Amino acid sequence: MPTAAHATVAPFTNSARLPLRPPTQDSIGDPYYPQLGNGGYDVQHYALELAVDVEHNVITSTATIAARATADLRAFNLDLLGLSVDRVAVNAAPVSVQRTEHELTITPMAALHAGQPFTTTVAYHGTPEPFVSEAAPISVGWTQYDGGIYVASEPEGASTWYPVNDHPLDKATYSMRVTVPKPYVVAANGLLQQTIDNGATTTYVWATAHPLASYLVTVDIARYKVETATGPNGLPIRNYFPAEIADQAHAVFAPTADMIAYFSSVFGPYPFEAYGVAVIDKNLGFAMETQTMSVFGRDAATQPPNQAEDVVAHELAHQWFGDSVSLDTWQDIWLNESFATYAAWLWSEHELGPGSADHIARRTYMQLAQMNLPPTGDPPPTDLFNTGVYERGALVLHALRLTIGDEAFFRTLRTYAARFRDGNASTPDFVAVAEQVSGQNLDAFFDNWLYGAKLPPLPPS
């Protein structure tokens, strides 16, 4: 169910690449995780209203979901885990509802017809429960910790806290009204539209101007100190730091505006209305590129700034690759992680001078050549975020740069980012752009680098 921004290009075929399955009512057709997402409709906008008891981790919520049917529907599904559903309506009319562990099946009084817009309202409450993802041994979803709440959902945690079509193919815009007790502060995606003083509570109203994938939606609640700055072309930058580490965090994220300016020069204009970070006052062991508001843990924000630059650059680069241009299927994860990893190498080259990225690539190649890694384009579904996707994937991009030359390589990145902006793309889409821009047939190159069991030799510098 691609959005209108998705373009169709000539297919790139490889036996290791699994096809997108035909969507069904309870599956959007992802070959790795068929339980994620649902077919038959395309969400346009989520309006989420949440009252949050932060201390007891209880939410009372209403989700209003504006969608368009893409097929005739007698019933349709939303992904939702746990939580108690109080009432559901479609176009303000009552409906029949059935629940399974992961699915909310809704049967309207009258069938929906292909092309018909419709609005679903779900009122619900309860304690969201994060869980360990099938894709990696980390907990995903709405998570309470000592001091607040954060949301990091890749790939399937969004359904822990709201009813959703939980797959990147169905991107939508969001508005969120989140009410919390004072003195808690709420950070979320997009721009803060309004802050409403209710006496004992505060309501924070956030909204996005661009569509985003459900796993990139975040709500972060803590006693934050808010720092604002201005990036290139007046871009708002807003950072949410725990007060006691605010000075350390400021130093870590100080290069952000310069990074945005540099990446804009090589990837094309920054694709969103704002950027910033929310720092969780807990060691996370990961960072997350939640759209316009990346999430970092205390462990990242208290490093020496020079040691943190790679991860700061990595999550920022995802705003172009992964967020603005989102993947078609989770097998395409290299289009997110390899690109962000290589972007951090490019930032080092920008800071340290020509040859720095090549030096990092050749040092990395020597390390990876001794390892038995899964192919970059065919990661195991139970180990999606492995070194073959990150560092070996960055080597794919460096080898492509050496093969087609700097001018064609950077024009490929800019063309790809512009062509699929606010939409979705696949490996064949990227291959087609690289071939179009370079004028070369690159099928054998990508076959070897993405799907070959053995690491191919790096081209000479």
Side-chain angles (χ1 to χ4, degrees), residues 28 42 48 55 58 99 127 130 171 208-209 228 234 243 270 276 289 370 394 408 432 452:
I28 208 165
D42 183 6
L48 305 178
E55 181 180 352
V58 173
R99 292 285 309 263
T127 297
K171 300 169 74 169
T208 68
T228 61
Y270 179 76
E289 65 274 15
Q370 311 305 314

Side-chain angles (χ1 to χ4, degrees), residues 364-432:
T364 302
Y365 187 94
M366 294 295 291
Q367 296 167 347
L368 299 191
Q370 311 305 314
M371 301 169 64
N372 183 24
L373 295 173
T376 297
D378 190 24
T382 55
D383 188 18
L384 198 65
F385 304 99
N386 66 78
T387 302
V389 165
Y390 287 74
E391 281 78 13
R392 178 172 168 169
L395 288 177
V396 175
L397 293 174
H398 192 66
L400 177 64
R401 179 183 178 184
L402 295 174
T403 298
I404 66 176
D406 275 16
E407 194 279 332
F409 176 74
F410 287 107
R411 188 152 54 91
T412 293
L413 296 184
R414 289 191 294 272
T415 301
Y416 174 70
R419 181 172 297 175
F420 298 99
R421 181 174 179 170
D422 286 338
N424 299 78
S426 65
T427 295
D429 291 328
F430 179 71
V431 172

Side-chain angles (χ1 to χ4, degrees), residues 1-30:
M1 221 171 336
T3 64
H6 184 83
T8 301
V9 296
F12 167 73
T13 58
N14 186 284
S15 58
R17 180 177 169 77
L18 299 175
L20 187 68
R21 302 176 185 181
T24 60
Q25 180 179 310
D26 63 352
S27 175
I28 208 165
D30 192 280

Side-chain angles (χ1 to χ4, degrees), residues 38-101:
N38 309 282
Y41 63 93
D42 183 6
V43 177
Q44 308 297 305
H45 183 78
Y46 292 91
L48 305 178
E49 186 160 354
L50 298 89
V52 184
D53 180 339
V54 179
E55 181 180 352
H56 298 98
N57 192 27
V58 173
I59 62 174
T60 304
S61 310
T62 300
T64 303
I65 306 167
R68 178 181 58 84
T70 58
D72 291 339
L73 296 175
R74 188 65 197 91
F76 63 94
N77 283 31
L78 291 166
D79 298 307
L80 184 66
L81 280 169
L83 302 173
S84 297
V85 175
D86 300 313
R87 63 185 180 278
V88 181
V90 173
N91 295 333
V95 298
S96 171
V97 179
Q98 292 183 310
R99 292 285 309 263
T100 61
E101 181 182 4

Side-chain angles (χ1 to χ4, degrees), residues 8 210 220 231 261:
T8 301
H210 298 264
D220 305 298

